[in-house]
Amino acid sequence: AQSVTQLDSQVPVFEEAPVELRCNYSSSVSVYLFWYVQYPNQGLQLLLKYLSGSTLVKGINGFEAEFNKSQTSFHLRKPSVHISDTAEYFCAVSRGGRRALTFGSGTRLQVQP
Amino acid sequence: SQTIHQWPATLVQPVGSPLSLECTVEGTSNPNLYWYRQAAGRGLQLLFYSVGIGQISSEVPQNLSASRPQDRQFILSSKKLLLSDSGFYLCAWSPGTGRGEQYFGPGTRLTVT
């Protein structure tokens, strides 16, 4: 079985500051990793995904994440946040195929002016 | 391209009334389909998933049920709603032979009064 831990439930940050949202996972087999964003009263939108290859993956809206196999982490970063980045962010892991995703509990990013 | 629809967008139902939420996917065939619930301020709870017509797996025993009468249609039902059924219901799909990434619908906000 796999699990996902998002270490911060809330992250307040000022506009134009950098941000890192932390995600650690556990699994006995190779996995695929994802970050989703959820704006209020909306569904989840796929931000980025790590499937294989380069450990640094770039996604939409200027976000990027780095897969670190030795530390079993997949932290999400953005060098300069905007007010519109205020949302809930979910990290998720999959072993592929028809299996369901395993989600973390989410991190609420609050960007302040 | 693929799209996923959910309806209704919002629903207010009294305790003890029946429920039917519908989800349809366009632009793909033989997708995996999922129902999630998100209670206020909580993470995502997987309720049901389906790998084909008539094939439903239940993750959480409760008074909800799911059906998949057609390849790209997924229905969430209840015969008698409870107050605890209130929440945000999300439908998602993933490619049958994909690496686990899921794509979410816009959600249905259910309030049981």
Side-chain angles (χ1 to χ4, degrees):
Chain A
Q2 59 238 22
S3 65
V4 179
T5 302
Q6 291 184 244
L7 298 163
D8 306 297
S9 59
Q10 293 190 53
V11 173
V13 63
F14 287 107
E15 194 174 17
E16 298 184 4
V19 70
E20 178 180 84
L21 305 184
R22 297 180 293 169
C23 173
N24 286 89
Y25 69 94
S26 66
S27 177
S28 58
V29 298
S30 296
V31 295
Y32 305 110
L33 296 156
F34 308 89
W35 275 100
Y36 286 85
V37 60
Q38 185 181 31
Y39 300 102
N41 294 311
Q42 294 186 26
L44 275 69
Q45 181 181 7
L46 183 62
L47 261 184
L48 48 78
K49 57 187 176 184
Y50 172 77
L51 304 179
S52 65
S54 173
T55 56
L56 183 64
V57 292
K58 295 187 183 296
I60 61 173
N61 302 341
F63 283 94
E64 63 181 33
E66 186 159 18
F67 170 57
N68 188 318
K69 188 175 183 179
S70 62
Q71 297 188 8
T72 60
S73 67
F74 191 52
H75 300 333
L76 181 70
R77 302 186 183 102
K78 186 169 182 177
S80 176
V81 294
H82 191 268
I83 294 286
S84 59
D85 292 322
T86 295
E88 189 90 18
Y89 292 80
F90 292 94
C91 182
V93 63
S94 167
R95 286 187 289 157
R98 295 179 177 271
R99 299 177 184 87
L101 285 172
T102 299
F103 283 92
S105 55
T107 297
R108 181 169 299 278
L109 176 63
Q110 298 167 308
V111 182
Q112 303 163 359
Chain B
S1 63
Q2 301 86 12
T3 55
I4 178 168
H5 304 278
Q6 284 187 248
W7 63 88
T10 60
L11 192 59
V12 179
Q13 292 283 92
V15 169
S17 64
L19 173 73
S20 181
L21 304 181
E22 190 165 343
C23 170
T24 59
V25 181
E26 296 176 355
T28 188
S29 59
N30 196 28
N32 302 316
L33 296 171
Y34 310 86
W35 277 113
Y36 291 88
R37 178 170 60 200
Q38 195 174 28
R42 306 280 299 273
L44 291 153
Q45 179 186 33
L46 178 65
L47 301 176
F48 301 94
Y49 71 94
S50 172
V51 299
I53 296 174
Q55 301 178 62
I56 309 294
S57 296
S58 173
E59 291 293 304
V60 182
Q62 56 203 329
N63 69 320
L64 297 172
S65 62
S67 62
R68 184 170 176 174
Q70 300 180 43
D71 182 44
R72 291 168 290 177
Q73 184 184 31
F74 205 24
I75 297 171
L76 183 70
S77 304
S78 174
K79 293 182 179 178
K80 289 185 178 182
L81 283 169
L82 306 173
L83 284 174
S84 57
D85 291 324
S86 292
F88 193 49
Y89 287 81
L90 290 160
C91 182
W93 75 275
S94 69
T97 55
R99 298 183 186 183
E101 65 266 38
Q102 294 179 16
Y103 302 93
F104 285 79
T108 295
R109 174 74 58 190
L110 172 66
T111 303
V112 182
T113 60

